[in-house]
């Protein structure tokens, strides 16, 4: 029977063991009756519980029962005394009925107990409270009976509850721990047939039970040496003395079993942790080698454009995101395995290292595949980017070549030609970059079979290789076509440059010829002072004419070249409508002026030569000097020359030099004609010369 079951009854204090003892060392059982009617059933239950506490040895010494009837009636006392016969007949040695001050009918009571003595089996005496010391020492009596023994029923009851709870919990816990520990031993012996006890946990916390037991033991041990506040020492209750070794024994057993249980838990935790790690490792390995690898196997293409490659990259990033979750589990597992390896359990080292190696191999291999795939897609993206840029450059170059050239001048043609050359050079650089990117991509694709897990990727790789080579070949053909067109355009533009140059040079020839004409008209005005000087002027004039002739011929050749170039370019020359007529017109004017200049110089030479012959005193040729015809001829030439000086060189208003220049030349001729006329007179009338002299 447990105190917790009958706790309401025990709280009523219908009976109690105070811890006091009689002179025979028998325990004193006190039954304090009250004014209210005592429930005999509850009293019987209380007595049964109290009498179950002492040991058999203690029970053998008998009990002294004190029935406190001072607040009760006699018939109740009698009933209680008679009930003791049925409850503890063999253990009761003496029953002391404490009578009240107003005593019951002595004769009746005495006769009644004396009559029943043999049948009861124990002695019953009536005694007042102050006379109890005749039978029991005062130190063994509670204060209610004038003794010094201290007894707190609620304190006792609480400790009893704690003791019984500890006993019950510790006993149950010991059974559970023994079951767990024994089950663990069997499981260690038969690893393949593990007991279900390995998954069984104690119903209560062992630490809590141990703490409760230590606190209870400490309390029980303190009561052995303490005393009351008044300094009167007292002995502990018998149940407390019995409880101490029981508690100590339970604590020792609990500590032993709990130590074993902790080791079992440690082994179980280690085994559970190892199994969890193994399970997680297999989950990671199975996923990486299963769905993870299958995802990578399905992604073999590189795309045929930037957009397609970017879409594949995005898909690959999704695959990487899924893998990163498992890689995070791998990192955590690796740390857990490293921690277990550092713990140094020899029996698990081999298995842990094997798991770690297997996990690392699979994860590193899968990470390498992901990195390879990412690098491959990045290389493909760069390849398609270069191909797209090159295609745009070729389109731009082709656009320039398809537009007809209609420049305004040679400088613009030169600039256009330079831009064309730059674009072609840029295309060459782009094509070279495409080849390098393509070759690098082909090299990467050639290494793809090394992680294909036995899958034949030749067909997939062939498609990628054919695509890359096709792109490079297509770009090469487009570039070659553009180069051919550039060669044609370059030739055409060079011809156009030459055409513009010829036109410009032809116009320049016209300008030069115009300048020669202008110089002829403005500076070539002197006719010479004598025949020798005039001959020199004529020679210079002929050289001057040769220069003009060369300029004219050069202009004609340039204009003829423009005609040929225009025919080649299938265009009309601007020179044919403007430059050629100008050239011919200026040349005609120059020719007229030049011929007029020659005639005047020749007339001047003839005039000066004849005049000089006449004017010179030449006695050896008197016939010539006296020839009248010579004088007439000189005079005629001089007049004719003077007349030509007044005539415009190029009609209607172009003359050699200014009017003053012409007047000066005419004045010189007139002076020479006067001298000739004077000479003529001298020859006609020599006497006039003598007279004058």
């Amino acid at each position: 029977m447990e105190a917790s079951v009958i706790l309401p009854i025990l709280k009523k204090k219908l009976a109690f063991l105070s811890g006091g003892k009689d002179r025979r060392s028998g325990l004193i059982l006190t039954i304090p009756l009250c004014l209210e009617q005592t429930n005999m059933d509850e009293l019987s239950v209380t007595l049964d519980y109290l009498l179950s506490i002492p040991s058999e040895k203690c029970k053998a010494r008998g009990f002294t029962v004190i029935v406190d009837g001072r607040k009760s009636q006699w018939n109740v006392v009698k009933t209680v005394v008679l009930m003791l016969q049925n409850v503890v007949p063999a253990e009761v040695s003496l029953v002391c009925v404490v009578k009240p001050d107003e005593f019951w009918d002595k004769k009746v009571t005495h006769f009644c107990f004396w009559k029943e003595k043999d049948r009861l089996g124990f002695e019953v005496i009536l005694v007042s409270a102050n006379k109890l010391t005749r039978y029991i020492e005062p130190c063994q009596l509670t204060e209610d009976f004038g003794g010094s023994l201290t007894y707190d029923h609620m304190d006792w009851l609480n400790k009893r509850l704690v003791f019984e709870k500890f006993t019950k919990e510790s006993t149950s816990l010991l059974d559970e721990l023994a079951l767990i520990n024994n089950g663990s031993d069997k499981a260690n012996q038969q690893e393949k047939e593990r007991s279900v006890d390995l998954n069984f946990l104690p119903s209560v916390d062992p630490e809590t039970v141990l703490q409760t037991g230590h606190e209870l033991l400490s309390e029980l041990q303190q009561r052995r040496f303490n005393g009351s506040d008044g300094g009167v020492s007292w002995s502990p209750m018998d149940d407390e003395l019995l409880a101490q070794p029981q508690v100590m024994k339970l604590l020792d057993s609990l500590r032993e079993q709990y130590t074993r249980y902790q080791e079992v838990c440690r082994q179980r935790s280690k085994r559970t942790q190892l199994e969890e790690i193994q399970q997680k490792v297999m989950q990671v390995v199975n996923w990486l080698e299963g769905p993870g690898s299958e995802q990578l196997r399905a992604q073999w293409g590189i795309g045929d454009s930037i957009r397609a490659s970017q879409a594949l990259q995005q898909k690959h990033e999704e695959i990487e995101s899924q893998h990163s979750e498992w890689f995070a589990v791998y990192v955590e597992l690796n740390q857990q395995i490293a921690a277990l390896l550092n713990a140094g359990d020899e029996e698990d080292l081999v298995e842990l290292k094997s798991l770690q190696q297997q996990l690392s191999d699979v994860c590193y291999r899968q990470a390498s595949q992901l990195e390879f795939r990412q690098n491959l897609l990045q290389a493909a993206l760069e390849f398609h980017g270069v191909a797209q840029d090159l295609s745009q450059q070729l389109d731009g170059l082709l656009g320039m070549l398809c537009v007809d050239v209609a420049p305004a001048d040679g400088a613009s043609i030169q600039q256009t030609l330079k831009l064309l050359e730059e674009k072609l050079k840029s295309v060459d650089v782009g094509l070279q970059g495409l080849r390098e990117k393509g070759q690098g991509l082909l090299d990467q694709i050639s290494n793809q079979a090394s992680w294909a897990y036995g899958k034949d990727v030749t067909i997939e790789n062939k498609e990628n290789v054919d695509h890359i080579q096709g792109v490079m070949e297509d770009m090469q053909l487009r570039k070659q076509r553009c180069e051919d067109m550039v060669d044609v355009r370059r030739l055409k533009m060079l011809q156009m440059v030459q055409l513009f140059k010829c036109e410009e040079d032809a116009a320049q020839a016209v300008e030069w010829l115009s300048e020669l004409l202008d110089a002829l008209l403005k500076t070539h005005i002197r006719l010479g002072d004598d025949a020798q000087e005039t001959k020199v002027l004529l020679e210079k004039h002929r050289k001057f004419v040769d220069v003009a002739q060369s300029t004219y011929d050069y202009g004609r050749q340039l204009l003829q070249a423009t005609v040929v170039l225009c025919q080649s370019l299938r265009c009309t020359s601007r020179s044919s409508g403007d430059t050629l007529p100008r050239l011919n017109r200026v040349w005609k004017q120059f020719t007229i002026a030049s011929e007029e200049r020659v005639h005047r110089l020749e007339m001047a030479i003839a005039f000066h030569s004849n005049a000089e012959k006449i004017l010179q005193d030449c006695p050896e040729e008197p016939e010539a000097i006296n020839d009248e015809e010579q004088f007439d001829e000189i005079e005629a030439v001089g007049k004719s020359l003077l007349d030509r000086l007044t005539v415009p060189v190029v009609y209607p208003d172009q003359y050699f030099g200014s009017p003053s220049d012409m007047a000066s030349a005419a004045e010189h001729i007139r002076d020479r004609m006067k001298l000739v006329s004077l000479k003529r007179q001298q020859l006609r009338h020599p006497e006039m010369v003598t007279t004058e002299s």
Side-chain angles (χ1 to χ4, degrees):
M1 185 181 297
E2 297 178 359
S4 59
V5 179
I6 58 173
L7 182 61
I9 298 176
L10 293 177
K11 286 183 177 181
K12 294 180 180 181
K13 198 179 178 181
L14 300 179
F16 63 89
L17 291 171
S18 63
K21 297 181 181 180
D22 57 18
R23 290 185 173 87
R24 299 187 308 276
S25 297
L27 295 177
I28 297 175
L29 176 64
T30 304
I31 303 175
L33 300 177
C34 57
L35 295 176
E36 300 177 359
Q37 185 67 31
T38 302
N39 189 322
M40 294 302 161
D41 293 335
E42 292 180 350
L43 179 60
S44 177
V45 171
T46 302
L47 292 175
D48 289 340
Y49 175 74
L50 292 176
L51 293 175
S52 66
I53 295 175
S55 63
E56 294 299 327
K57 182 178 180 181
C58 187
K59 290 179 182 180
R61 291 195 291 268
F63 291 89
T64 295
V65 182
I66 299 177
V67 180
D68 187 0
R70 289 177 293 179
K71 298 180 180 180
S72 182
Q73 298 178 356
W74 165 249
N75 57 347
V76 176
V77 174
K78 180 180 177 182
T79 303
V80 170
V81 172
L82 294 176
M83 186 184 67
L84 292 174
Q85 181 185 16
N86 298 325
V87 178
V88 282
E91 287 83 0
V92 176
S93 58
L94 176 63
V95 176
C96 296
V97 179
V98 180
K99 60 184 179 179
D101 294 338
E102 295 179 358
F103 190 54
W104 307 296
D105 188 347
K106 180 179 179 182
K107 185 176 181 180
V108 174
T109 56
H110 178 71
F111 173 77
C112 180
F113 286 120
W114 177 80
K115 182 180 179 180
E116 298 292 334
K117 179 179 179 181
D118 293 336
R119 187 172 64 86
L120 291 174
F122 49 79
E123 182 181 2
V124 180
I125 60 174
L126 298 175
V127 62
S128 60
N130 56 0
K131 301 296 184 180
L132 275 175
T133 55
R134 295 179 181 178
Y135 306 97
I136 302 172
E137 296 295 332
C139 63
Q140 302 298 322
L141 293 174
T142 61
E143 295 177 354
D144 295 337
F145 303 110
S148 59
L149 181 62
T150 301
Y151 175 75
D152 186 345
H153 184 69
M154 292 307 298
D155 179 67
W156 173 84
L157 182 58
N158 290 333
K159 287 184 174 58
R160 190 67 192 175
L161 289 172
V162 172
F163 171 75
E164 290 185 355
K165 180 182 178 182
F166 169 73
T167 303
K168 180 180 179 181
E169 290 181 349
S170 60
T171 303
S172 175
L173 182 59
L174 281 173
D175 293 339
E176 293 175 357
L177 292 178
L179 181 62
I180 294 173
N181 295 336
N182 293 335
S184 176
D185 294 338
K186 292 180 180 179
N188 292 333
Q189 295 175 1
Q190 300 177 354
E191 185 68 21
K192 296 182 181 180
E193 298 178 359
R194 294 175 182 170
S195 174
V196 295
D197 292 339
L198 286 176
N199 298 322
F200 179 70
L201 296 176
S203 58
V204 293
D205 183 19
E207 294 286 349
T208 303
V209 176
L210 284 171
Q211 182 178 359
T212 302
H214 285 297
E215 292 175 354
L216 177 61
L217 181 61
S218 177
E219 182 67 23
L220 294 175
Q221 289 175 343
Q222 284 181 355
R223 293 178 62 86
R224 296 182 61 183
F225 306 103
N226 66 0
S228 63
D229 294 338
V232 180
S233 62
W234 55 280
S235 300
M237 297 171 57
D238 186 69
D239 62 329
E240 294 176 349
L241 293 175
L242 293 174
Q244 289 184 32
Q246 187 175 357
V247 171
M248 293 176 65
K249 183 177 180 181
L250 287 173
L251 285 175
D252 292 340
S253 299
L254 276 177
R255 279 192 291 266
E256 180 183 357
Q257 291 294 335
Y258 184 53
T259 301
R260 291 183 59 194
Y261 172 73
Q262 286 179 319
E263 179 62 22
V264 169
C265 289
R266 191 186 70 82
Q267 294 293 336
R268 181 198 304 173
S269 176
K270 185 181 67 174
R271 175 52 56 182
T272 302
Q273 186 178 8
L274 187 59
E275 291 176 352
E276 290 177 354
I277 290 175
Q278 186 176 10
Q279 183 179 4
K280 291 181 179 179
V281 167
M282 295 312 300
Q283 288 178 352
V284 174
V285 171
N286 291 336
W287 190 90
L288 292 178
E289 292 183 343
S293 297
E294 191 61 34
Q295 288 178 348
L296 285 176
R297 291 192 190 101
Q299 297 295 316
W300 54 266
I302 61 173
D304 57 358
S305 63
I306 293 180
R307 182 175 297 179
S309 295
Q310 288 175 342
L312 290 174
Q313 271 193 333
Q314 184 176 1
K315 178 64 177 178
H316 183 72
E317 289 174 357
E318 295 175 0
I319 296 175
E320 282 185 333
S321 178
Q322 296 180 18
H323 278 75
S324 63
E325 298 177 0
W326 292 97
F327 288 154
V329 176
Y330 157 69
V331 173
E332 181 181 355
L333 289 174
N334 201 31
Q335 293 175 351
Q336 294 178 3
I337 293 175
L340 292 177
L341 289 175
N342 292 332
D345 293 333
E346 296 293 336
E347 57 185 10
D348 299 326
L349 286 179
V350 176
E351 184 176 1
L352 286 172
K353 288 182 178 180
S354 176
L355 287 174
Q356 188 180 42
Q357 187 63 40
Q358 181 184 11
L359 183 62
S360 298
D361 291 343
V362 174
C363 289
Y364 279 120
R365 183 170 61 246
Q366 199 74 358
S368 299
Q369 296 169 15
L370 288 171
E371 183 180 6
F372 177 86
R373 176 64 179 169
Q374 177 62 34
N375 294 336
L376 182 66
L377 290 176
Q378 183 62 34
L381 182 62
E382 294 176 358
F383 172 77
H384 289 123
V386 174
Q388 178 174 300
D389 293 341
L390 180 58
S391 178
Q392 293 175 353
Q393 291 177 3
L394 289 170
D395 291 340
L397 180 59
L398 184 62
M400 286 186 62
L401 295 172
C402 291
V403 176
D404 193 14
V405 180
D409 52 26
S412 61
I413 294 179
Q414 291 286 358
Q415 185 176 0
T416 304
L417 185 59
K418 181 180 179 182
L419 180 60
L420 198 63
E421 296 291 347
E422 290 177 352
K423 284 187 174 292
L424 184 59
K425 183 177 181 182
S426 178
V427 167
D428 289 334
V429 174
L431 183 60
Q432 182 62 30
L434 182 67
R435 291 187 183 126
E436 293 176 357
K437 294 292 184 181
Q439 188 58 48
L441 187 57
L442 291 174
D443 292 340
Q444 286 185 327
I445 291 177
S446 65
N447 296 327
Q448 187 175 6
S450 61
W451 50 267
Y453 286 108
K455 181 183 177 182
D456 188 6
V457 295
T458 305
I459 299 177
E460 292 86 348
N461 282 345
K462 186 177 185 303
E463 293 182 6
N464 293 332
V465 170
D466 291 344
H467 167 70
I468 296 169
Q469 292 177 346
V471 170
M472 291 192 293
E473 291 174 358
D474 179 64
M475 292 300 172
Q476 177 64 37
L477 291 175
R478 290 179 61 186
K479 188 251 185 183
Q480 186 62 46
R481 288 195 295 268
C482 287
E483 281 184 340
D484 296 340
M485 295 178 68
V486 167
D487 291 339
V488 175
R489 177 57 59 88
R490 184 188 295 112
L491 178 60
K492 183 177 181 180
M493 295 181 75
L494 290 175
Q495 288 178 343
M496 295 183 70
V497 170
Q498 189 176 1
L499 173 62
F500 279 111
K501 181 64 175 175
C502 288
E503 290 179 346
E504 291 176 0
D505 291 347
Q508 184 66 46
V510 174
E511 294 296 329
W512 289 343
L513 196 58
S514 298
E515 292 175 359
L516 291 174
L517 175 60
D518 187 64
L520 176 62
L521 294 175
K522 292 182 179 180
T523 61
H524 293 206
I525 56 177
R526 295 187 70 251
L527 297 176
D529 295 337
D530 52 30
Q532 184 63 33
E533 183 181 0
T534 303
K535 290 179 181 179
V536 172
L537 291 174
L538 180 60
E539 185 65 25
K540 290 182 178 179
H541 175 72
R542 286 173 178 160
K543 292 180 179 180
F544 183 77
V545 171
D546 291 340
V547 173
Q549 182 68 46
S550 299
T551 303
Y552 172 72
D553 294 340
Y554 176 64
R556 292 282 296 182
Q557 292 173 0
L558 290 174
L559 291 176
Q560 290 175 359
T562 58
V563 173
V564 175
L565 290 173
C566 286
Q567 291 175 351
S568 175
L569 294 172
R570 297 179 181 179
C571 65
T572 58
S573 173
R574 295 172 296 178
S575 303
S576 60
D578 182 25
T579 308
L580 183 59
R582 286 176 56 212
L583 179 64
N584 291 332
R585 183 173 61 253
V586 174
W587 177 247
K588 182 178 180 181
Q589 293 176 355
F590 184 87
T591 302
I592 294 172
S594 175
E595 290 177 352
E596 179 63 24
R597 173 69 172 168
V598 170
H599 290 158
R600 292 186 182 185
L601 288 175
E602 288 178 348
M603 291 176 66
I605 291 172
F607 172 76
H608 286 300
S609 296
N610 293 329
E612 288 174 355
K613 288 180 180 180
I614 293 173
L615 293 176
Q616 289 178 359
D617 190 6
C618 298
E620 294 83 3
E621 298 178 358
E623 295 86 0
I625 297 175
N626 295 325
D627 190 356
E628 191 70 24
E629 291 179 0
Q630 290 184 357
F631 287 100
D632 293 337
E633 183 180 357
I634 293 172
E635 183 177 359
V637 172
K639 288 180 179 180
S640 177
L641 184 57
L642 289 175
D643 291 339
R644 293 188 78 95
L645 291 176
T646 60
V647 177
V649 179
V650 180
Y651 290 93
D653 56 356
Q654 291 188 9
Y655 297 87
F656 283 113
S658 63
S660 60
D661 293 334
M662 292 296 101
S664 176
E667 185 65 25
H668 180 71
I669 294 173
R670 289 190 186 97
D671 290 342
R672 179 59 66 93
M673 288 178 67
K674 288 179 180 180
L675 292 175
V676 172
S677 178
L678 180 61
K679 184 69 175 177
R680 183 177 186 181
Q681 291 176 3
Q682 290 177 355
L683 292 175
R684 284 180 179 179
H685 306 284
E687 66 277 5
M688 293 180 62
V689 177
T690 306
T691 302
E692 290 177 359
S693 59

